[in-house]
Amino acid sequence: MYPNTQLYINAQWVDAIDKSTLAVINPADETQIGTVAKASIADLDLALQAAEHGFATWKNTPAQQRSKLMRKAAQILRERSDNIAHIMTLEQGKPLAQAKVETLAAADTIDWFAGETLRAYGRIVPPRAMDVQSMVIKSPVGIVAAFTPWNFPINQVVRKLSAALAAGCAIIIKAPEETPASPAQLIQAFHDAGIPQGVINLVYGIPAQISEYLIAHPSIKKISFTGSTPVGKQLASLAGLHMKKVTMELGGHAPVLIFNDADLDLAVKEMVAAKFRNAGQVCIAPTRFIIQRDVYDIFIEKLIAQVSQLKVGNGLDEATDVGPMIHTRGLSNIQRLIADALDQGATLCLGGKALTGKGYFMQPTILKDVPLDAKCMHSEPFAPLILCVPFDHYQDAIVEANRLPFGLAAYAYSASNRTCMALGRDIQAGMLTINHNGLSVPELPFGGINDSGYGSEGGSEAIEAYLNTRLVTVAGR
């Protein structure tokens, strides 16, 4: 039911050279369900050698051919989505329906970037002399090192992989050891579609060892990382020492602004779904609910009514809305944050405890009147936790929304066009969605500002980070 995962190097699935493995744990029952190969430096050297050969082939493959191959991989992924979703739920815990949505969304992402393959345009610049032609050329940057987390095992890989392939780059992916089998299934789809040898390589192992070796290696020309802000800063600093291109998609602490003229039922429905997806382990999850005082109590009542209906359980159970957290560290952290908030004077409205028995299950939790001194108002909870605070005036809401150094996602609900337009100017976030949840689709930019990183992993902006812009100017003689 659950496959052991090997390394993928030079179009072959292989064990680590020293045969080392790591255990894979099912977060719903804490049992070991399999193993994943643990790469050493020797394995990374093989992956680098393979990627160098793969890049030489792929950069000279016509864009139309690359696009067709990517679309074929997307179709294979769709055909296997049921099986892949089952594997993802076993290793990651999210409900089966969410795992299937993630898999199918990955296929859409591949299709989008397959189109971008054909749109990586240069341009001709009008010359100052009639016998001169000046051309701006887009060329692939080279070999990419990508580092991805466990919360979306396929989604986080596919954005980086698809953009790299669309640009003509080869890639080495360091995927998450907690959830290795589902990204391996993604790579298998590309393998079966006919990706040339060495273009894609997949490794697992000790994150710090792999990142330090690959980022500094002269063959690597581009870094893409998704993860926490502290780790992202370390990796960006290392990449800067070697003048490597970098995309950083880091943590957030998303505010939700609820104004007194908002459609409260719509806001509750959409934000509860967004908050408790993947047990709240989502970088763009709405967390700080900043609610105008006129509707503060009624909105929280509606939140409680909606959240209290959510079923916590094994993701393989079709009735489950909220699966387990990924590991005991996250479960312990959220319990500490809740206890601290209550000590600081917050009021517990719902939940607040871990479930007894096996598995890393946490009750969906709502706190209100959370003081700014509480740690959870500064540190990303990454858990099924809603924090509610009131505001009186528009500017008060803006100050709180922009108070933290993060700037990834933000949400707002208001019936006032004037308010909505002002929010677009005033909210400091890489992504703001108003009166609906419109984030994380392939054709739109995806990324943050400030401590939430830089660069985009979606939209037409995403491929630019994988391309070099070069000038070729020729005078006729």
Side-chain angles (χ1 to χ4, degrees):
M1 296 293 290
Y2 183 86
N4 292 327
T5 305
Q6 297 174 292
L7 311 176
Y8 183 78
I9 298 174
N10 203 30
Q12 294 184 339
W13 292 102
V14 295
D15 293 331
I17 291 173
D18 63 6
K19 305 300 181 183
S20 294
T21 62
L22 298 168
V24 180
I25 305 300
N26 183 339
D29 60 18
E30 302 178 50
T31 62
Q32 180 175 334
I33 54 175
T35 61
V36 56
K38 176 187 171 187
S40 66
I41 297 300
D43 296 298
L44 299 182
D45 284 336
L46 291 178
L48 286 160
Q49 183 179 5
E52 288 171 357
H53 290 295
F55 178 56
T57 300
W58 193 241
K59 70 178 181 179
N60 291 314
T61 301
Q64 290 83 357
Q65 186 175 337
R66 286 189 271 122
S67 180
K68 289 177 181 178
L69 189 151
M70 291 176 69
R71 292 190 187 280
K72 184 176 180 181
Q75 185 56 36
I76 292 172
L77 198 64
R78 291 187 180 96
E79 293 167 357
R80 299 174 182 175
S81 60
D82 287 334
N83 180 59
I84 295 173
H86 185 85
I87 290 171
M88 188 187 301
T89 295
L90 285 172
E91 64 185 7
Q92 203 277 337
K94 67 183 59 177
L96 195 60
Q98 293 180 26
K100 185 168 182 179
V101 167
E102 179 176 341
T103 306
L104 293 174
D108 290 345
T109 296
I110 298 168
D111 275 340
W112 163 259
F113 281 103
E116 287 295 273
T117 301
L118 308 177
R119 295 188 288 265
Y121 304 132
R123 67 182 189 275
I124 302 296
V125 180
R128 295 192 177 196
M130 295 313 296
D131 63 343
V132 170
Q133 185 174 62
S134 296
M135 299 171 288
V136 178
I137 296 175
K138 303 286 187 176
S139 59
V141 68
I143 301 173
V144 177
F147 305 90
T148 64
W150 47 261
N151 58 334
F152 290 93
I154 289 181
N155 172 279
Q156 302 285 10
V157 173
V158 78
R159 288 173 174 167
K160 305 174 193 302
L161 172 61
S162 299
L165 295 182
C169 298
I171 189 168
I172 300 174
I173 302 159
K174 205 297 289 182
E177 293 71 34
E178 297 91 343
T179 57
S182 46
Q185 291 294 314
L186 170 66
I187 304 309
Q188 185 66 49
F190 278 93
H191 176 91
D192 294 342
I195 197 80
Q197 286 185 328
V199 175
I200 302 173
N201 300 275
L202 176 68
V203 299
Y204 305 88
I206 300 174
Q209 180 187 60
I210 294 176
S211 60
E212 289 174 6
Y213 189 72
L214 290 182
I215 291 173
H217 197 281
S219 293
I220 299 297
K221 303 301 182 185
K222 155 76 180 168
I223 313 300
S224 183
F225 172 78
T226 299
S228 70
T229 295
V231 174
K233 288 182 176 180
Q234 292 176 5
L235 299 188
S237 177
L238 179 59
L241 291 175
H242 301 278
M243 296 301 294
K244 305 291 178 75
K245 282 177 172 271
V246 177
T247 299
M248 289 281 156
E249 197 268 282
L250 307 179
H253 203 310
V256 185
L257 281 64
I258 305 294
F259 291 87
N260 57 15
D261 58 357
D263 184 331
L264 301 185
D265 291 330
L266 175 66
V268 166
K269 178 183 177 182
E270 293 183 341
M271 291 298 94
V272 166
K275 172 71 250 188
F276 297 103
R277 177 173 65 118
N278 202 23
Q281 301 167 121
V282 184
C283 59
I284 60 172
T287 299
R288 289 177 294 142
F289 283 61
I290 306 165
I291 308 160
Q292 197 151 22
R293 198 176 298 275
D294 293 351
V295 295
Y296 185 66
D297 290 331
I298 188 172
F299 185 81
I300 292 175
E301 289 175 5
K302 289 177 179 290
L303 271 180
I304 294 170
Q306 184 85 4
V307 175
S308 63
Q309 298 178 26
L310 299 176
K311 175 179 171 55
V312 180
N314 192 310
L316 295 178
D317 182 347
E318 291 185 358
T320 293
D321 299 301
V322 182
M325 298 186 69
I326 188 66
H327 44 49
T328 187
R329 297 193 307 278
L331 186 63
S332 298
N333 180 62
I334 188 57
Q335 291 175 285
R336 286 193 297 268
L337 289 177
I338 291 171
D340 172 76
L342 295 176
D343 288 344
Q344 297 291 336
T347 299
L348 179 66
C349 300
L350 187 70
K353 295 182 179 180
L355 274 61
T356 58
K358 290 289 186 180
Y360 311 125
F361 294 98
M362 183 69 198
Q363 292 178 333
T365 300
I366 301 173
L367 300 178
K368 73 174 184 178
D369 303 333
V370 187
L372 296 186
D373 291 341
K375 293 179 181 177
C376 60
M377 291 296 283
H378 299 266
S379 175
E380 181 180 21
F382 220 61
L385 173 64
I386 285 177
L387 309 169
C388 298
V389 294
F391 77 90
D392 292 304
H393 306 292
Y394 173 86
Q395 193 57 38
D396 299 331
I398 297 302
V399 169
E400 171 55 27
N402 293 338
R403 176 177 55 86
L404 299 179
F406 305 108
L408 187 57
Y411 305 80
Y413 286 82
S414 172
S416 166
N417 185 59
R418 181 187 295 272
T419 298
C420 294
M421 295 297 291
L423 288 169
R425 295 190 300 267
D426 296 338
I427 294 293
Q428 296 174 16
M431 299 174 285
L432 170 63
T433 180
I434 303 174
N435 291 330
H436 77 130
N437 186 359
L439 306 184
S440 199
V441 292
E443 64 271 19
L444 297 180
F446 189 97
I449 60 175
N450 302 330
D451 275 11
S452 291
Y454 42 78
S456 176
E457 294 205 315
S460 57
E461 293 82 1
I463 195 174
E464 288 297 324
Y466 297 83
L467 295 167
N468 285 326
T469 299
R470 299 189 298 112
L471 168 67
V472 177
T473 184
V474 181
R477 290 291 184 265

